[in-house]
């Protein structure tokens, strides 16, 4: 619905503001026939709804990209008891940290392809040519990225907690902190992905750029669960995670949009 | 300095939005590609940019659309100069670059819808580029030529933008596709649109001005200017 609204009236008003007043006389003949090309045409600007729906369609069609990080996450966690040893006490103490670190790595793994396909087929360039700020396409992409990576991890996390003998008091904080935290991770990672999109093999560089920025999220994410397990209120930690998310949602797409423009220059 | 000024023959445009380059020099990776390039692209006219591989055709195009900002001289859209005029220019721009901007995970129909086409218009455009019956296949299942046609279908949409900048539009097209595209370009010019394209093949467009970038190779004195500061 938003799309239809954006497609006609808004762009029509835009075209009248951008067109040179002197043109109207010159193009008067053209405008009279229905099929001719007006001088300053209404430009189609996809609305956020269209951007989001397209990204979601693309994500669903590339199912492996959704399933692989998730499988990686679960497989590695299932190996932890084998490597560390099956003592329930020790596993319980490490569970929150292990799950958080794996969530971080799974997000990082899936981040590389965030802008790559669009960069290679030229649609990123087409997006950058549009009148609307790149902020919205980037936000739509990150939102879909989080929905297919971070959100399933958060939903799945109590099950994994159970596997690692996490105390039941930690389930809910783990879930909420992961949901909030992975959204921030997706947003922050988008900046790195945008910076390295023009490179042929960005893998390790991307990790080196983003990992330090992930640290605050990791600290307060595990802090939330630890506070709950120790019987304290975990509200403050969640609030900080929420604050990080808000700041990231406001700033990271801007930074990513700038980075995309720099990447497109070469 | 041998600054050979080349005015476009039909460049006597009254007040329409023309794309004008004055004394334009572009460099890429520290190498001066061409210098003192002048042209005016008025409504209803076409300009073909020629040059050997690596002569800077794509760089020129990317400079004109505002993707590369590393240039000297002046580029104007109508009466305004870049970078200020960029927003207005892009509002009139239909650009198909080397990478066509066709999303491989979408169908041709979805790709055109992305550019604002209604279902009926998109179907008509796809029929004209010979992709009728392929509209619901994913673009990754189509051949390179067919993907090129999906991108070019944008040129057949009603209400296409008046300024077309096309990088090698005839590449990967068969004979019939080239003929159809030339017809569409002629129609566009008759309707007062303007067209800038690069091509290594001859293009069958009625009034076609040509700029060969080899004629604007930097002179020794230009190089001294470029590297002197």
């Amino acid at each position: 619905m938003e799309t239809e609204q954006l497609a006609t009236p808004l762009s029509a008003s835009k075209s009248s503001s951008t067109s040179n007043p002197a043109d109207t006389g010159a193009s008067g003949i053209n405008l009279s026939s229905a099929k001719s090309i007006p001088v300053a045409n209404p430009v189609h600007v996809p609305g956020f709804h269209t951007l989001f729906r397209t990204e979601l369609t693309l994500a669903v069609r590339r199912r492996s990209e959704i399933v692989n990080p998730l499988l990686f996450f679960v497989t590695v966690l299932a190996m932890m008891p084998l490597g560390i040893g099956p003592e329930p006490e020790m596993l319980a103490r490490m569970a929150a940290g292990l799950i958080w670190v794996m969530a971080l790595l799974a997000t990082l793994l899936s981040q590389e392809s965030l802008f790559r396909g669009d960069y290679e087929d030229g649609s990123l360039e087409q997006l950058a040519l549009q009148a609307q700020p790149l902020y919205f396409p980037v936000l739509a992409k990150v939102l879909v990225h989080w929905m297919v990576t971070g959100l399933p991890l958060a939903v799945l996390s109590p099950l994994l907690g159970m596997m690692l003998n996490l105390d039941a008091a930690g389930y809910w904080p783990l879930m909420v902190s992961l949901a909030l935290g992975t959204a921030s991770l997706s947003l922050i990672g988008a900046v790195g992905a945008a910076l390295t999109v023009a490179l042929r093999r960005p893998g390790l560089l991307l990790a080196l750029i983003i990992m330090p920025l992930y640290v605050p999220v990791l600290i307060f994410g595990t802090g939330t669960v630890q506070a709950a397990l120790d019987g304290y209120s975990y509200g403050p930690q969640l609030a900080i995670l929420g604050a990080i998310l808000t700041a990231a949602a406001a700033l990271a797409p801007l930074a990513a949009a700038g980075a995309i423009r720099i990447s497109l220059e070469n | 300095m041998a600054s050979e000024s080349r005015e476009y023959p039909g460049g006597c445009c009254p007040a329409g939005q023309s794309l004008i380059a004055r004394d334009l020099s572009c460099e890429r990776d520290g190498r001066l590609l061409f210098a003192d390039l002048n042209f005016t692209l008025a409504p209803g006219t076409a300009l073909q940019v020629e040059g050997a591989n690596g002569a800077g055709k794509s760089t020129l195009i990317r400079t004109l659309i505002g993707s590369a900002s590393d240039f000297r001289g002046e580029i104007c859209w109508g009466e305004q100069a870049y970078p200020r005029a960029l927003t207005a220019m892009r509002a009139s721009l239909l650009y198909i670059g080397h990478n066509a901007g066709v999303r491989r995970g979408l169908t041709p129909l979805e790709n055109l819808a992305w550019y604002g086409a209604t279902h009926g218009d998109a179907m008509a455009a796809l029929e004209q580029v010979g992709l009728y019956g392929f509209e619901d296949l994913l673009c990754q299942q189509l051949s390179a030529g067919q993907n090129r046609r999906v991108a070019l279908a944008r040129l057949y949409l009603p209400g296409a933008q008046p300024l077309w900048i096309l990088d090698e539009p005839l590449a990967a097209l068969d004979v019939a596709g080239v003929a159809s595209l030339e017809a569409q370009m002629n129609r566009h010019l008759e309707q007062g649109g303007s067209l800038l394209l690069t091509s290594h093949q001859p293009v069958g467009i009625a009034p076609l001005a040509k700029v060969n970038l080899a004629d604007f190779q930097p002179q020794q004195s230009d190089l001294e200017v470029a590297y002197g500061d």
Side-chain angles (χ1 to χ4, degrees), chain A residues 41 43 61 118 121 125-126 264, chain B residues 15 62 91 95 101 103 105 159:
Chain A
N41 229 46
V43 178
R61 286 191 188 151
D118 283 356
D121 67 23
E125 192 167 28
Q126 294 287 347
L264 283 174
Chain B
R62 291 169 48 74
Y95 164 69
R103 304 183 125 199

Side-chain angles (χ1 to χ4, degrees), chain B residues 5-71:
Chain B
S5 174
R6 290 208 165 179
E7 272 299 312
Y8 179 68
C12 49
C13 157
Q17 302 283 55
S18 305
L19 186 64
I20 303 156
R22 289 194 197 99
D23 301 328
L24 187 67
S25 314
C26 286
E27 64 172 75
R28 187 176 161 82
D29 302 329
R31 194 166 64 90
L32 196 59
L33 291 168
F34 52 85
D36 303 316
L37 177 66
N38 285 285
F39 67 81
T40 301
L41 185 67
T45 59
L47 178 67
Q48 180 180 0
V49 179
E50 294 177 316
N53 293 339
K57 299 187 294 295
S58 292
T59 304
L60 171 63
I61 280 188
R62 291 169 48 74
T63 307
L64 291 175
I65 64 169
S67 277
S69 54
D70 209 8
F71 68 90

Side-chain angles (χ1 to χ4, degrees), chain A residues 25-95:
Chain A
S27 64
I29 317 139
N30 276 347
L31 285 169
S32 59
S33 69
K35 277 217 153 183
S36 72
I37 297 171
V39 166
N41 229 46
V43 178
H44 170 71
V45 176
F48 190 76
H49 181 242
T50 316
L51 293 168
F52 178 73
R53 209 180 38 199
T54 310
E55 292 305 326
L56 203 59
T57 313
L58 285 167
V60 170
R61 286 191 188 151
R62 291 174 306 193
R63 268 182 223 99
S64 63
E65 275 179 39
I66 307 176
V67 179
N68 287 358
L70 220 64
L71 272 179
F72 168 75
F73 182 69
V74 175
T75 319
V76 177
L77 277 179
M79 286 173 158
M80 286 299 173
L82 303 176
I84 300 169
E87 292 101 55
E89 295 252 320
M90 185 155 64
L91 281 178
R93 224 177 315 135
M94 300 176 77

Side-chain angles (χ1 to χ4, degrees), chain B residues 93-94 155 160-166 184-185 188 194-196:
Chain B
L93 172 69
L94 197 165
L155 306 178
Q161 281 80 8
L163 172 64
W164 291 2
I165 295 187
L166 312 174
Q184 180 64 14
M185 285 173 175
H188 175 67
S194 48
L195 167 64
L196 188 143

Side-chain angles (χ1 to χ4, degrees), chain A residues 4 21 57-58 77 88 96 98 110 119 134 140 146 158 164 176 193 195 197-198 212 216 225 243-244 251 257:
Chain A
E4 276 82 10
T57 313
L58 285 167
L77 277 179
L98 287 177
S110 54
Y119 176 77
L134 262 177
W146 173 70
L164 294 177
V176 179
L195 274 172
V197 73
V225 187
I244 293 176
L251 299 177

Side-chain angles (χ1 to χ4, degrees), chain A:
Chain A
M1 193 156 152
E2 195 189 351
T3 356
E4 276 82 10
Q5 281 172 354
L6 275 172
T8 39
L10 178 92
S11 41
S13 67
K14 189 164 275 167
S15 71
S16 65
S17 64
T18 51
S19 73
N20 192 334
D23 292 338
T24 42
S27 64
I29 317 139
N30 276 347
L31 285 169
S32 59
S33 69
K35 277 217 153 183
S36 72
I37 297 171
V39 166
N41 229 46
V43 178
H44 170 71
V45 176
F48 190 76
H49 181 242
T50 316
L51 293 168
F52 178 73
R53 209 180 38 199
T54 310
E55 292 305 326
L56 203 59
T57 313
L58 285 167
V60 170
R61 286 191 188 151
R62 291 174 306 193
R63 268 182 223 99
S64 63
E65 275 179 39
I66 307 176
V67 179
N68 287 358
L70 220 64
L71 272 179
F72 168 75
F73 182 69
V74 175
T75 319
V76 177
L77 277 179
M79 286 173 158
M80 286 299 173
L82 303 176
I84 300 169
E87 292 101 55
E89 295 252 320
M90 185 155 64
L91 281 178
R93 224 177 315 135
M94 300 176 77
L98 287 177
I99 292 177
W100 254 101
V101 169
M102 291 322 298
L104 201 138
L105 288 179
T107 313
L108 190 65
L109 260 186
S110 54
Q111 205 96 58
E112 191 191 314
S113 62
L114 190 60
F115 298 114
R116 180 143 305 263
D118 283 356
Y119 176 77
E120 279 166 1
D121 67 23
S123 44
L124 204 56
E125 192 167 28
Q126 294 287 347
L127 273 176
L129 288 178
Q130 270 166 4
Q132 81 177 337
L134 262 177
Y135 182 94
F136 296 106
V138 171
L139 195 65
K141 270 183 181 301
V142 174
L143 195 59
V144 170
H145 177 259
W146 173 70
M147 281 177 64
V148 301
T149 58
L151 195 58
L153 290 187
V155 172
L156 226 66
S157 61
L159 211 69
L160 300 162
M162 209 180 286
M163 213 161 77
L164 294 177
N165 199 31
L166 181 73
D167 197 71
Y171 289 173
W172 182 244
L174 181 64
M175 238 171 111
V176 179
S177 67
L178 269 178
L180 286 176
T182 49
S184 304
L185 297 183
S186 289
L187 282 160
I188 296 167
V191 183
L195 274 172
T196 55
V197 73
L199 304 179
R200 209 150 291 165
R201 257 182 242 161
L204 201 54
L205 183 63
L206 181 64
L208 287 175
I209 293 173
I210 303 179
M211 279 298 207
L213 300 171
Y214 277 177
V215 169
V217 181
L218 181 66
I219 289 173
F220 290 105
T222 48
T224 308
V225 187
Q226 206 52 54
L229 292 178
D230 294 345
Y232 296 113
S233 151
Y234 53 84
Q237 278 89 343
L238 273 188
I240 293 174
L241 277 181
I244 293 176
L245 176 58
T246 317
L251 299 177
L254 278 181
I260 286 173
R261 289 197 191 278
I262 294 171
S263 296
L264 283 174
E265 282 248 334
N266 299 300

